[in-house]
Amino acid sequence: MAGIRTLEEIMKQEPNRFQFVVFGEENHPNYNRILLSSVLQGDANVNDIVLNDYKWYEQNNIELHVDDPIVEVDKKNQIVISANGVKCSYDHLIFATGSNPFMLPLPGSEKEGVIAFRNIRDCESMIETAKSYKKAAVIGGGLLGLEAARGLLNLGMEVDVIHISDYLMERQLDEDAGKMLEKELKKQGMRFHLNKHTEKIIGGKRVKGLKFKDGSSIQADLVVMAVGIRPNVELAEKAGLDIGRAILVDDHMVTNEKNIYAVGECAEHRGIVYGLVAPLYEQGKHLAAYLCSSEKKGVPGYQGSIVYTQLKVSGVDVFSAGEFMDTEETKSIRVHDEFEGVFKKVVVRDHQIVGAVLFGDTADSPRLLSMMRSGQDISEMSKVAILPSESNSASGESVVLTMQDDETICGCNGVTKGDIVSAIKDLGLKTVNEVKQCTNASRSCGGCKPQVAELLALTTGESAADVKEPMCGCTKYTHEEVTASIRDMGLTHIREVMNVLEWSSDAGCSKCRPALNYYLGLVNPSMYIDDSHSRFINERVHANIQKDGTFSVVPRMYGGVTDSEQLRKIADVADKYKVRLLKVTGGQRIDLLGVKKEDLPSMWKDLGMRSGYAYGKTLRTVKTCVGKDFCRFGTQDSIGLGIEIEKKYEGLNTPHKVKMAVSACPRNCAESGIKDVGIVGVEGAWELYVAGNGGVDLRGGELLCKVKTSQEVIDTISAFLQYYREQANYLERTSHWVERVGLDSIKKVVLEDQKEREALIERMDIALENHKDPWTEIVASDEVQKELFEKKNVTV
Ligand SMILES: Cc1cc2nc3c(=O)[nH]c(=O)nc-3n(C[C@H](O)[C@H](O)[C@H](O)COP(=O)(O)OP(=O)(O)OC[C@H]3O[C@@H](n4cnc5c(N)ncnc54)[C@H](O)[C@@H]3O)c2cc1C
Ligand SMILES: NC(=O)c1ccc[n+]([C@@H]2O[C@H](COP(=O)([O-])OP(=O)(O)OC[C@H]3O[C@@H](n4cnc5c(N)ncnc54)[C@H](O)[C@@H]3O)[C@@H](O)[C@H]2O)c1
Ligand code: SF4
Ligand code: FES
């Protein structure tokens, strides 16, 4: 991977200066080794992962010798000799010989069925073995071992992972994250043997099992060793190059011989040998710049890299970068939410971020990496801003939109948001594949593909349908395709969808489960029983979790109107449960903050009010101004209409939160212009604005229509919201949806096509029929109270 990338970089700068000859030991042109995990997991085949095919070599006039390793270097005469006896002279020689997998020297390791996981041959061997054998053992619970284990599970094998340490991926994670990872992977079906030392491999000609030093043993028909790698330096050593842990190079990747260079896993730079592509590609870039420059002195050298890793197992989001363990000189900021399975830790030294571990929600990773790389001083920043809460980052707000141009989107290839946006604009790119070809973004592990796709959609303003992205890593299908299958095939349960659409993980993940729960409820409104386990924590317990693990309670106040009886109840409850803060919200109601989880049901009972749904993907509030009865400018009854609307749409499930407002004149005191649906009274009529947003992504609402009566207002809201419910992706705000599909196309359906409008209104009424107030329901059920409110397992 490093060798050919170096040639590409050289050709970018000096297309015709050098004549290249490439020798490779494997019987393939260069391929994306990273995606061997995807091949094993069944998401790609060997042809898909070739990076430069034979035609590319031909077109670029590069002489390629595959399956023919170099066995000798004659430095004096500047000649290399291959295993097949080919002699080739050189002016410059680049070593990019990578690593060999480390094979534990255990008795029995020569047996049939004991392999590594490094190349296409290993991958094919595992796929073949799974056809006739059932039990696999993977030695090593690091990145490679776990990706191999996931692949073997996908191939239908039972998998035992044997790991020498107390917790998984101890070279990349701290203990908390390692344990959470173990729990998640156990759910996927892996069996773990931690703190285990293998003594020998047992069996006859073929492996039959493993025996451990503590006397225990397991059966295995296949043993995959994934216990690390060793730089492949044999040839370099024989050629007399200086070797440390790998081939020693300076900042220009030059060895102790001035026309011999080394890049990739076989090179040691400033005492570090890297095992991930991002630094190797950086090395290639620096070597290319050095080779292409005629005045070598001024060329900036490679300074080393901050590395980060991401595990490529679907349904598990793990990110680790830099120094992730605490030391005496470091302090850390942590968020640990056991309900959601989210763990975030940022390690800080001398006011700078030096490492991070994210589990369950890795949306913050580009920003944190960028802060680490720039050495940003965080002493003045609020700690909340460094680690946004789950509700911010998983809320569907666009992460790429808020990124700076110099922040990296593709870590493997070092491509920034600015690079991608310029390429899209300057070259008129239309697909993720074109962005990949032109910028290299998403060309390696593929982890950044969703962000590239999102950026493409945002930059071109094209329909995201052109940028087809799967719902999550568990499936190849998009949101639209999954919803269409639910409708067309009459699917009614989450498990059924996963089975029929061949989900790659049995339990799904935190992205697809809530989305499937929503789509199933949308398609089968009267039949579907909501799966509360597939909802985010706030929606499950019907209150908002706060940073200290307590909750906030917001009772419904229709149209922002209250009375002395409600206020008295709220005051009594606040005293009884020692509420720490009473706060009037932006949505015109009262928030009771600092409530203990176990107090929630009795508090709701004492309040006797309905839930304000301040936590849900549903209608939040309808804010109103005082209107014509009191205000001298008011032309309409804003309070009356606001209350009617709030009562009608209360509890409606929507793809994301929905906020509304009614103002009785264009002075707009209820801020109708920045709501999902905003209504403004004008002389003898109402104007309806949609897709406004007052949050991070500030956006003024667009005029949908002007109507005369409050009934027309309600019918239009029904048609618009039902269309939004049916067409938008889960976690897409109305503002993003309208930007994506365009208001004109929505007007055609919601206003102009009378038949479709009526059908939408009818479907909305069916959806609303089934709503029950969640607080009242929970108060009435001891069983639900026990399950939801008696466990205490959130630490933040
Ligand atoms: C399954 C798997 C998943 C991975 N996932 C990731 C990931 O998600 N992210 C990430 O950053 N990294 C990942 N890696 C690591 C990444 O693939 C390596 O860091 C990268 O391939 C190293 O590039 P390289 O060019 O140094 O070595 P290699 O890609 O190994 O290339 C070296 C080549 O040189 C050949 N060779 C050796 N000796 C000779 C000789 N004498 N003559 C001719 N040819 C020779 C070898 O056969 C090999 O083909 C993964 C690795 C594996 C195995
Ligand atoms: N997603 C990714 O970024 C990714 C995926 C696969 C591979 N890789 C790279 O490929 C290389 C190889 O990966 P790896 O996972 O083999 O290396 P690793 O060094 O990251 O992990 C090896 C693991 O094996 C364990 N181990 C060591 N000896 C053992 C023993 N005797 N018994 C049981 N466990 C033992 C170690 O504790 C360690 O956790 C690394 O450079 C890695 O970064 C990266
Ligand atoms: S929006 Fe108009 S009617 Fe409503 S309170 Fe403001 S000024 Fe009065
Ligand atoms: S982050 Fe790996 S390809 Fe972009």
Side-chain angles (χ1 to χ4, degrees), residues 73-86:
V73 178
D74 176 353
K75 281 189 308 190
K76 197 164 149 245
N77 296 307
Q78 298 193 182
I79 289 173
V80 289
I81 305 165
S82 77
N84 289 343
V86 178

mmCIF file of all heavy atoms in Angstrom, residues 73-86:
data_model
loop_
_atom_site.group_PDB
_atom_site.id
_atom_site.type_symbol
_atom_site.label_atom_id
_atom_site.label_comp_id
_atom_site.label_asym_id
_atom_site.label_seq_id
_atom_site.Cartn_x
_atom_site.Cartn_y
_atom_site.Cartn_z
ATOM 1 N N VAL A 73 19.999 -7.676 -3.258
ATOM 2 C CA VAL A 73 20.277 -6.298 -3.695
ATOM 3 C C VAL A 73 21.793 -6.156 -3.823
ATOM 4 O O VAL A 73 22.523 -6.364 -2.851
ATOM 5 C CB VAL A 73 19.747 -5.275 -2.659
ATOM 6 C CG1 VAL A 73 20.081 -3.856 -3.090
ATOM 7 C CG2 VAL A 73 18.253 -5.436 -2.442
ATOM 8 N N ASP A 74 22.218 -5.819 -5.042
ATOM 9 C CA ASP A 74 23.645 -5.599 -5.270
ATOM 10 C C ASP A 74 23.853 -4.077 -5.289
ATOM 11 O O ASP A 74 23.678 -3.421 -6.316
ATOM 12 C CB ASP A 74 24.015 -6.265 -6.613
ATOM 13 C CG ASP A 74 25.467 -6.008 -6.999
ATOM 14 O OD1 ASP A 74 26.140 -5.219 -6.296
ATOM 15 O OD2 ASP A 74 25.909 -6.589 -8.006
ATOM 16 N N LYS A 75 24.192 -3.549 -4.107
ATOM 17 C CA LYS A 75 24.267 -2.092 -3.956
ATOM 18 C C LYS A 75 25.364 -1.498 -4.827
ATOM 19 O O LYS A 75 25.216 -0.417 -5.380
ATOM 20 C CB LYS A 75 24.570 -1.749 -2.486
ATOM 21 C CG LYS A 75 23.359 -1.820 -1.582
ATOM 22 C CD LYS A 75 23.658 -1.270 -0.212
ATOM 23 C CE LYS A 75 24.877 -1.907 0.374
ATOM 24 N NZ LYS A 75 25.143 -1.646 1.754
ATOM 25 N N LYS A 76 26.473 -2.239 -4.898
ATOM 26 C CA LYS A 76 27.638 -1.705 -5.605
ATOM 27 C C LYS A 76 27.289 -1.440 -7.080
ATOM 28 O O LYS A 76 27.561 -0.380 -7.622
ATOM 29 C CB LYS A 76 28.783 -2.718 -5.489
ATOM 30 C CG LYS A 76 30.101 -2.128 -5.807
ATOM 31 C CD LYS A 76 31.240 -3.014 -5.314
ATOM 32 C CE LYS A 76 32.414 -2.838 -6.247
ATOM 33 N NZ LYS A 76 32.766 -4.035 -6.984
ATOM 34 N N ASN A 77 26.648 -2.434 -7.714
ATOM 35 C CA ASN A 77 26.310 -2.295 -9.136
ATOM 36 C C ASN A 77 24.904 -1.739 -9.354
ATOM 37 O O ASN A 77 24.443 -1.645 -10.488
ATOM 38 C CB ASN A 77 26.443 -3.650 -9.827
ATOM 39 C CG ASN A 77 27.876 -4.125 -9.794
ATOM 40 O OD1 ASN A 77 28.776 -3.398 -10.209
ATOM 41 N ND2 ASN A 77 28.102 -5.300 -9.243
ATOM 42 N N GLN A 78 24.199 -1.429 -8.245
ATOM 43 C CA GLN A 78 22.833 -0.890 -8.312
ATOM 44 C C GLN A 78 21.911 -1.785 -9.140
ATOM 45 O O GLN A 78 21.289 -1.358 -10.111
ATOM 46 C CB GLN A 78 22.846 0.560 -8.823
ATOM 47 C CG GLN A 78 23.615 1.452 -7.881
ATOM 48 C CD GLN A 78 23.430 2.951 -8.119
ATOM 49 O OE1 GLN A 78 24.039 3.732 -7.440
ATOM 50 N NE2 GLN A 78 22.608 3.349 -9.044
ATOM 51 N N ILE A 79 21.857 -3.049 -8.675
ATOM 52 C CA ILE A 79 21.009 -4.046 -9.351
ATOM 53 C C ILE A 79 20.212 -4.807 -8.290
ATOM 54 O O ILE A 79 20.752 -5.117 -7.225
ATOM 55 C CB ILE A 79 21.886 -5.059 -10.143
ATOM 56 C CG1 ILE A 79 22.502 -4.364 -11.360
ATOM 57 C CG2 ILE A 79 21.104 -6.288 -10.596
ATOM 58 C CD1 ILE A 79 23.511 -5.221 -12.104
ATOM 59 N N VAL A 80 18.938 -5.109 -8.598
ATOM 60 C CA VAL A 80 18.188 -6.042 -7.736
ATOM 61 C C VAL A 80 17.958 -7.328 -8.527
ATOM 62 O O VAL A 80 17.823 -7.301 -9.756
ATOM 63 C CB VAL A 80 16.824 -5.475 -7.270
ATOM 64 C CG1 VAL A 80 17.009 -4.360 -6.251
ATOM 65 C CG2 VAL A 80 15.972 -5.003 -8.432
ATOM 66 N N ILE A 81 17.895 -8.449 -7.780
ATOM 67 C CA ILE A 81 17.694 -9.743 -8.445
ATOM 68 C C ILE A 81 16.466 -10.399 -7.826
ATOM 69 O O ILE A 81 16.335 -10.466 -6.601
ATOM 70 C CB ILE A 81 18.937 -10.649 -8.264
ATOM 71 C CG1 ILE A 81 20.173 -9.902 -8.774
ATOM 72 C CG2 ILE A 81 18.758 -11.995 -8.981
ATOM 73 C CD1 ILE A 81 21.490 -10.500 -8.332
ATOM 74 N N SER A 82 15.572 -10.876 -8.692
ATOM 75 C CA SER A 82 14.320 -11.454 -8.183
ATOM 76 C C SER A 82 14.423 -12.973 -8.039
ATOM 77 O O SER A 82 15.375 -13.581 -8.551
ATOM 78 C CB SER A 82 13.168 -11.121 -9.134
ATOM 79 O OG SER A 82 13.234 -11.970 -10.262
ATOM 80 N N ALA A 83 13.426 -13.583 -7.386
ATOM 81 C CA ALA A 83 13.414 -15.032 -7.194
ATOM 82 C C ALA A 83 13.424 -15.760 -8.528
ATOM 83 O O ALA A 83 14.000 -16.836 -8.670
ATOM 84 C CB ALA A 83 12.192 -15.425 -6.384
ATOM 85 N N ASN A 84 12.764 -15.169 -9.540
ATOM 86 C CA ASN A 84 12.744 -15.796 -10.869
ATOM 87 C C ASN A 84 13.999 -15.482 -11.677
ATOM 88 O O ASN A 84 14.060 -15.786 -12.871
ATOM 89 C CB ASN A 84 11.517 -15.323 -11.666
ATOM 90 C CG ASN A 84 10.241 -15.915 -11.109
ATOM 91 O OD1 ASN A 84 10.288 -16.891 -10.357
ATOM 92 N ND2 ASN A 84 9.099 -15.331 -11.457
ATOM 93 N N GLY A 85 14.932 -14.786 -11.098
ATOM 94 C CA GLY A 85 16.194 -14.497 -11.775
ATOM 95 C C GLY A 85 16.201 -13.224 -12.592
ATOM 96 O O GLY A 85 17.144 -12.959 -13.337
ATOM 97 N N VAL A 86 15.140 -12.403 -12.473
ATOM 98 C CA VAL A 86 15.136 -11.139 -13.219
ATOM 99 C C VAL A 86 16.138 -10.190 -12.572
ATOM 100 O O VAL A 86 16.145 -10.022 -11.346
ATOM 101 C CB VAL A 86 13.726 -10.482 -13.209
ATOM 102 C CG1 VAL A 86 13.741 -9.149 -13.945
ATOM 103 C CG2 VAL A 86 12.683 -11.420 -13.777
#
